[in-house]
Amino acid sequence: MSAQKEQKMEGLGLEGIGDLSGLLNDPENTNGGGAGPLELALDLIDEDPNQPRTEDNPGFSKSSLEELAATIRHRGVKTPISVRENQDEPGRFIINHGARRFRGSRIAEKETIPAFIDNDYNEADQVIENLQRNELTAREIADYIGRELAKDVKKGDIAAAIGKSAAFVSQHVTLLDLPEPIAEAFNTGRVNDVTVINELVKAYKKNPDEVVAWLADDEQEITRGSVKLLREYLDDKRKHEDEERDPNTVDAFTGQTDAEGDDDQEEEEGETPPKKEPKEQDPDKLKKAIIMVKHDERMGRLMLNRRPTAEGWAWIKYEDDGHEFEADLGTVELMALMDGA
């Protein structure tokens, strides 16, 4: 150190500290101030037993981890994992996120891994981390929501915690209690799309036998398009069944047509029933109500024939592009009530 620099240090009263340059490259001090990661021994790190991703997650498959291990052998771990101190076992750490990199490093026979220590971390943070990277399956998301509901956490609070809509939470709640045939299709991987599953559940509630028969066909593809066609077919079938039967249809039990049965009834009673006069329409009643609303500064109408997934929500169809979606009624402004007849 030059005499001029020493004089300046003496003037500041720092002469007793000595040369600080050695601290600039001291790896043991790089994480204390949050400036960089530590190199932690793998043997001191444990996976979180409550992490949202389960063993059957595609990211944990043998082939996927082998591929990751190959890159780690060649290039190392470029993105540090996040850990927190294990409160039950001082000196050990629990993974916040980075379980794949941790497993890949073990397969690659590494002894250490770069890591940040973050003790302000919870299960919701893990879910958010994996949701943002689309690394959670629908089942894993549903299981997390189920655990939160078991703690009496409200759906709205769960949605806010993970940055998703209440409708997103409600759709995944459906996965926790699926009808048996739909649960089998979901658990075997025939269908993973949450929207498709919810549509199937709606169809099953109205036409269980038909949906069971449809799912029984192993060659039947289960997609948004195919389920939409199924629901349209079932709705059309129900509509025709609700209409008046053909008077010439033969009853399987009596062997008579409906018209013959009506004639026999009239003969037994000895009189012809009077014809019903058409009812006069009440001018004060709407034949078909249409409720116009505004949402996000766009006009739309309430879809009164679709059941919402949660109280306080409703389905809306935009007027400009026909997009259908579910929204919180608290975000909707009532604009007009019209007769659509």
Side-chain angles (χ1 to χ4, degrees), residues 20-158:
L20 303 179
S21 61
L23 294 177
L24 295 178
N25 297 316
D26 185 355
E28 292 184 1
N29 289 282
T30 55
N31 197 53
L38 292 170
E39 281 290 332
L40 293 180
L42 291 174
D43 290 341
L44 295 178
I45 301 173
D46 300 306
E47 292 192 42
D48 188 344
N50 298 317
Q51 70 163 311
R53 283 195 293 183
T54 56
E55 288 300 323
D56 59 357
N57 186 289
F60 286 153
S61 69
K62 183 178 180 180
S63 60
S64 178
L65 290 175
E66 286 287 358
E67 290 176 357
L68 179 59
T71 65
I72 291 175
R73 289 190 192 99
H74 181 60
R75 298 281 295 163
V77 175
K78 296 301 181 182
T79 304
I81 68 173
S82 171
V83 300
R84 63 185 182 276
E85 295 171 321
N86 189 333
Q87 301 301 316
D88 296 327
E89 297 184 50
R92 298 191 65 80
F93 303 89
I94 297 175
I95 296 176
N96 294 326
H97 62 83
R100 268 178 35 85
R101 280 162 281 167
F102 172 76
R103 294 188 184 191
S105 296
R106 279 191 173 281
I107 296 173
E109 299 182 342
K110 295 291 184 178
E111 294 183 355
T112 64
I113 190 170
F116 288 105
I117 298 176
D118 182 1
N119 290 321
D120 182 23
Y121 212 88
N122 57 37
E123 189 176 3
D125 293 327
Q126 290 181 323
V127 172
I128 294 168
E129 173 79 20
N130 286 287
L131 278 175
Q132 290 173 343
R133 296 183 304 193
N134 293 320
E135 291 186 350
L136 287 180
T137 64
R139 167 63 71 189
E140 290 166 341
I141 297 171
D143 287 343
Y144 164 74
I145 292 172
R147 290 194 297 271
E148 293 300 290
L149 291 174
K151 301 174 188 174
D152 292 328
V153 181
K154 295 181 179 179
K155 291 181 183 178
D157 293 335
I158 297 173

Side-chain angles (χ1 to χ4, degrees), residues 18 100 139 145 149 153 165 174 181 186-187 190 200 238 251 261 276 278-279 307 315 331 335:
R100 268 178 35 85
R139 167 63 71 189
I145 292 172
L149 291 174
V153 181
S165 68
T174 302
F186 176 51
N187 293 331
R190 285 185 68 193
L200 272 176
R238 284 170 59 87
D251 189 292
K276 294 182 179 179
K279 294 183 178 179
R307 186 187 302 277
W315 282 89
T331 65
M335 302 301 295

